[in-house]
Protein backbone atom coordinates (compact mmCIF):
# COMPACT_ATOMS: atom_id res chain seq x y z
CA UNK A 1 0.00 0.00 0.00
CA UNK A 2 2.69 2.54 0.97
CA UNK A 3 5.29 1.06 -1.38
CA UNK A 4 3.99 3.05 -4.34
CA UNK A 5 4.13 6.30 -2.36
CA UNK A 6 7.65 5.50 -1.16
CA UNK A 7 8.72 4.65 -4.74
CA UNK A 8 7.25 7.86 -6.09
CA UNK A 9 9.04 9.86 -3.39
CA UNK A 10 12.35 8.16 -4.15
CA UNK A 11 11.79 8.75 -7.86
CA UNK A 12 11.16 12.47 -7.33
CA UNK A 13 14.20 12.71 -5.04
CA UNK A 14 16.33 10.95 -7.65
CA UNK A 15 15.02 13.29 -10.35
CA UNK A 16 15.74 16.39 -8.26
CA UNK A 17 19.21 15.10 -7.37
CA UNK A 18 20.00 14.35 -11.01
CA UNK A 19 18.74 17.75 -12.12
CA UNK A 20 20.86 19.45 -9.45
CA UNK A 21 23.98 17.49 -10.43
CA UNK A 22 23.46 18.28 -14.10
CA UNK A 23 23.09 21.97 -13.33
CA UNK A 24 26.29 21.90 -11.26
CA UNK A 25 28.17 20.16 -14.08
CA UNK A 26 27.00 22.85 -16.51
CA UNK A 27 28.23 25.55 -14.12
CA UNK A 28 31.59 23.75 -13.68
CA UNK A 29 32.08 23.59 -17.45
CA UNK A 30 31.16 27.25 -17.82
CA UNK A 31 33.67 28.27 -15.14
CA UNK A 32 36.44 26.27 -16.82
CA UNK A 33 35.52 27.82 -20.16
CA UNK A 34 35.82 31.29 -18.67
CA UNK A 35 39.21 30.33 -17.21
CA UNK A 36 40.49 29.05 -20.59
CA UNK A 37 39.26 31.93 -22.76
CA UNK A 38 42.04 34.45 -21.95
CA UNK A 39 44.68 31.87 -22.87
CA UNK A 40 43.00 31.07 -26.17
CA UNK A 41 42.88 34.76 -27.06
CA UNK A 42 46.47 35.41 -25.92
CA UNK A 43 47.73 32.42 -27.91
CA UNK A 44 46.05 33.77 -31.07
CA UNK A 45 47.62 37.21 -30.53
CA UNK A 46 51.10 35.92 -29.61
CA UNK A 47 51.81 32.50 -31.07
CA UNK A 48 55.22 32.35 -29.29
CA UNK A 49 53.84 33.27 -25.87
CA UNK A 50 55.48 31.49 -22.95
CA UNK A 51 53.22 29.92 -20.36
CA UNK A 52 54.61 30.33 -16.85
CA UNK A 53 52.74 28.56 -14.09
CA UNK A 54 51.64 31.06 -11.42
CA UNK A 55 53.78 33.66 -13.25
CA UNK A 56 57.04 32.08 -12.03
CA UNK A 57 59.75 31.55 -14.64
CA UNK A 58 61.10 28.40 -12.99
CA UNK A 59 57.75 26.60 -12.90
CA UNK A 60 56.04 24.53 -15.56
CA UNK A 61 53.46 25.70 -18.07
CA UNK A 62 50.48 27.59 -16.74
CA UNK A 63 47.44 29.60 -17.79
CA UNK A 64 46.77 33.33 -17.57
CA UNK A 65 43.94 32.57 -15.15
CA UNK A 66 45.94 30.01 -13.22
CA UNK A 67 44.11 27.73 -10.84
CA UNK A 68 45.16 27.08 -7.28
CA UNK A 69 42.55 24.33 -6.89
CA UNK A 70 43.61 21.10 -5.28
CA UNK A 71 43.62 17.94 -7.40
CA UNK A 72 41.00 16.04 -5.38
CA UNK A 73 37.48 17.36 -5.74
CA UNK A 74 35.61 18.34 -2.56
CA UNK A 75 33.26 15.69 -1.15
CA UNK A 76 30.60 18.17 -0.05
CA UNK A 77 29.64 21.84 0.06
CA UNK A 78 31.49 22.48 3.36
CA UNK A 79 34.75 21.06 2.03
CA UNK A 80 34.14 22.99 -1.20
CA UNK A 81 33.87 26.22 0.77
CA UNK A 82 37.09 25.52 2.71
CA UNK A 83 39.03 24.59 -0.44
CA UNK A 84 37.56 27.49 -2.39
CA UNK A 85 38.45 30.12 0.20
CA UNK A 86 41.92 28.61 0.57
CA UNK A 87 42.44 28.88 -3.21
CA UNK A 88 41.10 32.45 -3.20
CA UNK A 89 43.48 33.40 -0.38
CA UNK A 90 46.45 31.81 -2.16
CA UNK A 91 45.57 33.64 -5.38
CA UNK A 92 45.16 36.99 -3.63
CA UNK A 93 48.45 36.55 -1.76
CA UNK A 94 50.23 35.76 -5.02
CA UNK A 95 48.64 38.80 -6.67
CA UNK A 96 49.65 41.09 -3.80
CA UNK A 97 53.21 39.80 -4.10
CA UNK A 98 53.09 40.73 -7.81
CA UNK A 99 51.97 44.26 -6.90
CA UNK A 100 54.87 44.51 -4.47
CA UNK A 101 57.66 42.78 -6.43
CA UNK A 102 57.09 43.45 -10.14
CA UNK A 103 57.75 47.24 -10.04
CA UNK A 104 61.02 46.73 -8.15
CA UNK A 105 62.14 43.99 -10.53
CA UNK A 106 61.35 46.29 -13.44
CA UNK A 107 63.25 49.19 -11.88
CA UNK A 108 66.33 46.99 -11.37
CA UNK A 109 66.33 45.94 -15.01
CA UNK A 110 65.10 49.08 -16.76
CA UNK A 111 65.11 52.12 -14.47
CA UNK A 112 62.04 54.34 -14.43
CA UNK A 113 60.60 52.84 -17.59
CA UNK A 114 61.17 49.36 -16.17
CA UNK A 115 59.42 50.42 -12.95
CA UNK A 116 56.38 51.58 -14.94
CA UNK A 117 56.34 48.38 -16.95
CA UNK A 118 56.72 46.32 -13.76
CA UNK A 119 53.88 48.25 -12.11
CA UNK A 120 51.67 47.40 -15.08
CA UNK A 121 52.69 43.75 -14.81
CA UNK A 122 51.93 43.82 -11.08
CA UNK A 123 48.46 45.26 -11.62
CA UNK A 124 47.75 42.75 -14.40
CA UNK A 125 49.07 39.89 -12.26
CA UNK A 126 46.97 40.93 -9.29
CA UNK A 127 43.86 41.33 -11.44
CA UNK A 128 44.15 37.97 -13.17
CA UNK A 129 45.00 36.17 -9.94
CA UNK A 130 42.07 37.76 -8.10
CA UNK A 131 39.76 36.68 -10.93
CA UNK A 132 41.30 33.22 -10.96
CA UNK A 133 40.85 32.86 -7.20
CA UNK A 134 37.22 33.89 -7.53
CA UNK A 135 36.73 31.25 -10.23
CA UNK A 136 38.42 28.66 -7.99
CA UNK A 137 36.06 29.58 -5.15
CA UNK A 138 33.01 29.29 -7.39
CA UNK A 139 34.23 26.03 -8.93
CA UNK A 140 34.92 24.42 -5.54
CA UNK A 141 31.54 25.50 -4.20
CA UNK A 142 29.70 24.15 -7.24
CA UNK A 143 31.64 20.86 -7.19
CA UNK A 144 31.03 20.49 -3.46
CA UNK A 145 27.32 21.15 -3.93
CA UNK A 146 27.19 18.57 -6.73
CA UNK A 147 28.95 15.95 -4.59
CA UNK A 148 26.96 16.59 -1.38
CA UNK A 149 24.04 14.22 -2.15
CA UNK A 150 26.46 11.34 -2.84
CA UNK A 151 28.36 12.08 0.37
CA UNK A 152 25.12 12.14 2.38
CA UNK A 153 24.16 8.81 0.79
CA UNK A 154 27.54 7.30 1.74
CA UNK A 155 27.13 8.56 5.30
CA UNK A 156 23.64 7.06 5.53
CA UNK A 157 25.01 3.71 4.37
CA UNK A 158 27.86 3.93 6.86
CA UNK A 159 30.70 4.09 4.31
Amino acid sequence: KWGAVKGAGEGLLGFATGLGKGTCELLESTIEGVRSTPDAVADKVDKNREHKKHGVDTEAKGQLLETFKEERAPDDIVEGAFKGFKALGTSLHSGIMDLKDKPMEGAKNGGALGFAKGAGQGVLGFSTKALSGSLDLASNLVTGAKNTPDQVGRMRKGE
Side-chain angles (χ1 to χ4, degrees), residues 25-39 63 65 67 69 132 135-136 138-140 143:
E25 287 175 7
L26 176 64
L27 288 172
E28 283 176 319
S29 298
T30 302
I31 290 167
E32 289 309 310
V34 168
R35 181 185 315 281
S36 299
T37 299
D39 278 308
Q63 296 177 301
L65 293 181
T67 181
K69 281 178 28 176
S132 177
L135 292 172
D136 288 340
S139 179
N140 275 296
T143 303

Side-chain angles (χ1 to χ4, degrees), residues 63-85:
Q63 296 177 301
L64 287 175
L65 293 181
E66 188 64 43
T67 181
F68 284 90
K69 281 178 28 176
E70 296 176 19
E71 291 299 317
R72 190 180 68 76
D75 289 332
D76 55 46
I77 188 80
V78 173
E79 187 179 6
F82 279 117
K83 286 184 173 196
F85 280 109

Side-chain angles (χ1 to χ4, degrees), residues 4-22:
V5 172
K6 182 179 176 186
E10 288 173 359
L12 287 175
L13 180 61
F15 172 76
T17 301
L19 183 63
K21 284 183 178 183

Side-chain angles (χ1 to χ4, degrees), residues 82-138:
F82 279 117
K83 286 184 173 196
F85 280 109
K86 179 181 175 188
L88 177 61
T90 301
S91 295
L92 289 175
H93 178 263
S94 180
I96 290 168
M97 296 308 290
D98 281 354
L99 283 173
K100 179 179 86 67
D101 296 337
K102 294 290 184 183
M104 291 303 133
E105 290 172 11
K108 272 190 222 175
N109 297 329
L113 185 60
F115 179 86
K117 184 178 176 183
Q121 289 173 338
V123 169
L124 181 63
F126 176 79
S127 302
T128 58
K129 289 176 181 177
L131 177 58
S132 177
S134 300
L135 292 172
D136 288 340
L137 173 60

